[in-house]
């Protein structure tokens, strides 16, 4: 196992100070390594995540070579040549577990931001004190965007949040954590080959969720009540003016509708299974309130906004991969983690790789079992099926 930094590197160096997992502790299980702490319903801090992953590495005696960056993976007869900054390795098979979130995804229009505005991404952001004084525009309202907008607003600044497509979820539903429902109802285990629009499922933004001691919901209604100004998707920056889409009512209605459909799925499941589990009565939530006449533009030269936080997602980085298996969008061509056209090459830890839960910590176990089975058959000389 080659790691360019330290064990749990991304959790150590690529996250903001206050971040806690949005998955409850009992769900942050690793293969054959359940959570056994005293707070199963709590949410881990980054220091706790690092400790847990480091413990797992020690318990499993994982043969990790830290501070070893892979600089190239190329085909050679019968396998692959892996170049690292610590020498070369030749092997029959390679598993790419380099993460789905190596680089912040920032739209091209960033180039048009006036110079005096400081731009930070979720990778650079640490806490509100590090931002220059003044108003903040947060772009993106998925898990990262809503959490940062909330934290920056609480620090006393004025915050404008540009909202695009998003996934709304309540933190609790019928007396249980919403992610308990995702797992128990089987939604999270839905396989990639059972999903109608897999490409879309793989692009779905992260849900509007936050892990707090209060188990609080953090949706757009909550943010608006806290004083965050909601505007539409950032569509362009022209002559120093940020222009926002006018489609907030549609966007909100769609997110509300999708949430209701998901809650219907949970209710259907509960109807057939609740003799065994205790849950409260079905609930429905207030629709997302549309602001009256949301702003369609904002003059970035007026001094009202001093910084922009790009919470527009992340993408993997395969610049070191010298096997032609990456499409024009920078995504690996794979069938459930088995890379197409490159026998012996595998990937793990990507969105909806084999199941809806693939990109979460708890998703590794089932995906790893499937892929290791495939890999073992491949190494044994058989013709493995996906
Ligand atoms: C902001 C944020 C919050 C998240 N919150 C949650 C959450 O609450 N719960 C949850 O279950 N999941 C969460 N996730 C998803 C989480 O990232 C994954 O569950 C988990 O980290 C995936 O682990 P991984 O090992 O696949 O990827 P990573 O943790 O990204 O690890 C990949 C490793 O590969 C190394 N690497 C990359 N390229 C090279 C190279 N060329 N050479 C050598 N080493 C390399 C990196 O240094 C890194 O350590 C979150 C993700 C983000 C970005």
């Amino acid at each position: 196992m080659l790691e360019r930094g330290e064990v749990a590197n991304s959790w150590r160096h690529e996250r903001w100070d206050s971040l806690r997992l949005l998955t409850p502790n009992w769900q942050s299980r690793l293969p054959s390594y359940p959570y056994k702490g005293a707070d199963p319903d709590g949410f881990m801090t980054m220091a706790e995540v690092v400790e847990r992953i480091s413990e797992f590495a020690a318990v499993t005696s994982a043969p990790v070579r830290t501070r070893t960056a892979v600089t190239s993976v190329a085909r050679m007869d019968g396998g692959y040549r892996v170049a690292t900054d610590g020498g070369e390795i030749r092997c029959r098979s390679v598993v790419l577990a380099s993460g789905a979130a190596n680089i912040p995804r920032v739209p091209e229009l960033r180039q048009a931001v006036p110079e005096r505005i400081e731009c930070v991404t979720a990778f650079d952001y640490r806490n509100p004190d590090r931002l220059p004084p003044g108003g903040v525009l947060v772009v993106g309202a998925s898990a990262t965007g809503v959490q940062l907008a909330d934290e920056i607003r609480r620090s006393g600044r004025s915050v404008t949040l540009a909202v695009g497509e998003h996934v709304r979820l309540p933190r609790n539903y019928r007396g249980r954590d919403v992610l308990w429902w995702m797992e128990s109802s089987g939604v999270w285990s839905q396989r990639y080959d059972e999903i109608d629009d897999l490409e879309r499922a793989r692009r779905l933004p992260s849900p509007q969720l936050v892990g707090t001691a209060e188990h609080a919901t953090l949706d757009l209604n909550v943010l608006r009540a806290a004083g965050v100004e909601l505007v539409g998707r950032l569509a362009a920056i022209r002559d120093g003016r940020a222009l926002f889409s006018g489609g907030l009512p549609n966007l909100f209605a769609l997110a509300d509708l999708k949430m209701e459909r998901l809650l219907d799925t949970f209710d259907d499941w509960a109807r057939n299974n609740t003799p065994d589990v205790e849950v409260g009565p079905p609930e429905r939530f207030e629709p997302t309130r549309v602001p009256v006449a949301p702003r369609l533009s904002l003059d970035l030269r007026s001094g009202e906004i001093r910084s922009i936080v790009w919470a527009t997602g992340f993408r993997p980085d395969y610049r070191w991969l010298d096997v032609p298996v990456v499409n024009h969008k920078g995504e690996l061509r794979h069938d459930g983690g088995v890379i197409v056209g490159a026998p012996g090459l595998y990937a793990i830890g990507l969105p909806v790789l084999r199941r809806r839960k693939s990109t979460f910590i708890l998703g590794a176990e089932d995906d790893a079992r499937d892929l290791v089975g495939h890999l073992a058959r491949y190494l044994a000389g058989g013709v493995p099926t996906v």
Side-chain angles (χ1 to χ4, degrees):
M1 294 178 64
L2 306 177
E3 167 57 56
R4 63 184 169 189
E6 302 161 77
V7 169
N9 204 58
S10 58
W11 301 107
R12 287 176 199 269
H13 301 296
E14 293 166 0
R15 307 284 187 260
W16 56 97
D17 297 346
S18 65
L19 180 64
R20 284 173 178 268
L21 291 187
L22 53 76
T23 36
N25 292 340
W26 64 269
Q27 257 179 355
S28 296
R29 52 181 186 269
L30 291 157
S32 306
Y33 196 62
Y35 175 83
K36 289 199 178 140
D39 186 18
D41 296 320
F43 301 93
M44 281 180 213
T45 62
M46 291 305 99
E48 289 165 339
V49 179
V50 168
E51 192 184 328
R52 184 161 170 71
I53 295 178
S54 304
E55 276 169 15
F56 182 67
V59 165
T60 56
S61 307
V64 191
R65 276 198 224 168
T66 54
R67 310 232 167 269
T68 307
V70 173
T71 52
S72 161
V73 172
R75 289 290 285 270
M76 55 166 229
D77 277 352
Y80 296 89
R81 187 188 304 115
V82 179
T84 80
D85 55 6
E88 193 179 283
I89 296 170
R90 286 161 184 246
C91 46
R92 283 191 58 202
S93 183
V94 178
V95 180
L96 309 177
S98 47
N102 304 123
I103 307 179
R105 198 188 281 275
V106 181
E108 269 299 304
L109 51 80
R110 179 197 194 283
Q111 308 301 336
V113 173
E115 247 175 44
R116 60 185 296 267
I117 298 215
E118 189 163 319
C119 283
V120 295
T121 68
F123 269 27
D124 322 315
Y125 175 88
R126 287 294 169 268
N127 56 58
D129 295 342
R130 297 245 202 123
L131 295 175
V136 182
L137 170 64
V138 177
V139 184
S142 294
T144 301
V146 295
Q147 291 183 29
L148 299 190
D150 183 48
E151 169 166 289
I152 298 167
R153 177 69 196 130
R154 281 171 194 269
S155 77
R157 285 151 190 272
S158 85
V159 176
T160 306
L161 178 62
V163 182
E165 189 194 353
H166 56 277
V167 176
R168 180 183 178 198
L169 284 184
R171 179 74 263 183
N172 291 298
Y173 183 59
R174 301 179 64 176
R176 300 274 188 154
D177 193 282
V178 74
L179 298 183
W180 176 87
W181 286 96
M182 288 294 278
E183 188 169 359
S184 307
S185 66
V187 171
W188 250 358
S189 291
Q190 194 182 11
R191 282 177 52 103
Y192 75 110
D193 46 8
E194 297 165 357
I195 295 174
D196 287 340
D197 191 346
L198 180 59
E199 210 171 296
R200 189 173 152 66
R202 285 184 169 156
R203 281 177 211 283
L204 222 54
S206 55
Q208 290 174 334
L209 281 178
V210 62
T212 60
E214 299 76 30
H215 293 248
T217 291
L218 183 60
D219 60 17
L220 298 177
N221 284 345
V222 171
L223 285 174
R224 207 167 146 225
V228 171
E229 180 184 352
L230 304 182
V231 294
R233 198 176 141 267
L234 178 60
I237 298 176
R238 219 168 282 147
D239 300 328
R241 290 190 82 81
L243 308 178
F244 305 109
S245 307
L248 275 188
N250 285 346
L251 215 54
F252 289 2
L254 196 66
D256 290 350
L257 182 74
K258 285 189 180 159
M259 177 178 73
E260 299 230 337
R261 280 204 200 129
L262 184 65
L263 301 182
D264 288 344
T265 305
F266 295 162
D267 293 342
D268 287 345
W269 172 82
R271 214 166 291 123
N272 300 319
N273 294 277
T274 32
D276 306 331
V277 288
E278 243 176 70
V279 292
E283 296 173 76
R284 283 301 174 263
F285 299 91
E286 188 199 355
T288 310
R289 284 190 297 275
V290 183
V292 187
R295 270 205 268 197
L296 293 176
S297 78
L298 202 166
D299 188 353
L300 296 174
R301 294 158 309 188
S302 69
E304 181 186 347
I305 297 291
R306 288 297 319 284
S307 47
I308 299 182
V309 178
W310 299 99
T312 33
F314 307 93
R315 63 185 175 85
D317 180 6
Y318 297 121
R319 281 174 294 190
W320 43 270
L321 185 58
D322 295 318
V323 187
V325 290
V326 178
N327 68 17
H328 66 283
K329 292 178 191 152
E331 297 156 350
L332 283 177
R333 281 191 297 271
H334 69 91
D335 184 359
V338 178
I339 298 195
V340 178
L345 197 60
Y346 297 86
I348 192 162
L350 302 178
V352 200
L353 183 94
R354 296 187 68 81
R355 294 169 178 82
R356 285 200 186 268
K357 64 183 172 185
S358 289
T359 196
F360 291 91
I361 292 170
L362 86 163
E365 182 161 21
D366 287 348
D367 285 5
R369 194 187 323 102
D370 291 353
L371 285 174
V372 168
H374 192 287
L375 194 154
R377 290 190 295 278
Y378 170 75
L379 292 179
V383 184
T385 49
V386 176

